Amino acid sequence: MRKTLGIKRTNFPRLERLDFRDIIEEVNNIFGVEVPGHHGPNLSVQAKRIRFKLFLPIPSLKCVEYIDNQTNEIIEYFYDWEDASGTLMKFHGHYHPEEAPDEIKEFDPFHLHIKEDEFDREARKRERDDEYQCLYQVLLFIKRYVYVSRYSK
């Protein structure tokens, strides 16, 4: 049996219509994302872009999940918060290949990518993620960010 993250695939309609309808404007499919061959057969991909309400000055969230069709669990996920100037933050859950350097694998499977400085367009700095280990938690973080931004002016 294939190794998964132990997280069920995301129910995007529920997030959009129920749980986060106050911040999500729409969820659109991203076409052309393929399942990497190294995962083997019986996999599917869920690739979406979450656009937030127009009155919220925050960028969209690109979401890619690779799903084991037998268990309906996520094998890998990549939630990238990005805008035209580059990546703000990445929330990733996946294992790097054995041949990857130890400094890359040390935070597997759950890790964040954050900016090293204002010139970092790719969010190169990695750190362990103990909080945002599913899309629901990432969206809670964004919702709290919106709240703090709204009331800190």
Side-chain angles (χ1 to χ4, degrees):
M1 194 157 119
R2 185 184 345 252
K3 188 175 189 176
T4 69
L5 297 173
I7 304 166
K8 290 293 185 191
R9 78 184 303 146
T10 299
N11 181 338
F12 283 92
R14 179 185 170 94
L15 292 178
E16 180 181 15
R17 294 186 194 119
L18 295 174
D19 299 329
F20 294 97
R21 69 178 182 264
D22 56 336
I23 63 169
I24 293 178
E25 181 71 30
E26 62 185 1
V27 177
N28 303 113
N29 288 322
I30 300 173
F31 298 100
V33 178
E34 296 184 17
V35 176
H38 67 270
H39 284 309
N42 205 15
L43 243 75
S44 58
V45 63
Q46 237 186 174
K48 310 277 188 184
R49 181 166 302 277
I50 297 175
R51 298 191 190 285
F52 297 100
K53 299 280 184 181
L54 296 177
F55 63 87
L56 301 175
I58 57 174
S60 65
L61 184 69
K62 178 182 174 184
C63 306
V64 177
E65 298 177 348
Y66 297 104
I67 313 295
D68 181 312
N69 291 334
Q70 291 179 321
T71 64
N72 211 27
E73 290 183 349
I74 298 172
I75 295 168
E76 298 182 329
Y77 68 73
F78 303 89
Y79 307 137
D80 297 349
W81 203 11
E82 54 195 14
D83 65 9
S85 69
T87 302
L88 302 172
M89 248 178 122
K90 296 178 186 179
F91 306 84
H92 287 180
H94 65 98
Y95 292 92
H96 290 89
E98 294 255 344
E99 62 273 7
D102 288 341
E103 63 270 13
I104 299 293
K105 297 187 299 186
E106 77 175 297
F107 302 126
D108 283 358
F110 302 105
H111 53 280
L112 303 172
H113 295 253
I114 59 174
K115 290 183 172 290
E116 293 176 333
D117 56 36
E118 67 271 18
F119 304 108
D120 181 0
R121 294 180 44 86
E122 298 174 23
R124 290 188 186 102
K125 184 179 178 185
R126 296 171 188 270
E127 55 182 52
R128 183 171 321 285
D129 176 10
D130 295 322
E131 292 183 68
Y132 313 112
Q133 297 179 359
C134 67
L135 185 54
Y136 188 92
Q137 293 298 325
V138 171
L139 290 170
L140 273 180
F141 168 76
I142 292 172
K143 186 173 181 170
R144 289 177 182 135
Y145 167 80
V146 166
Y147 173 83
V148 168
S149 297
R150 181 179 294 163
Y151 294 109
S152 64
K153 295 178 182 182

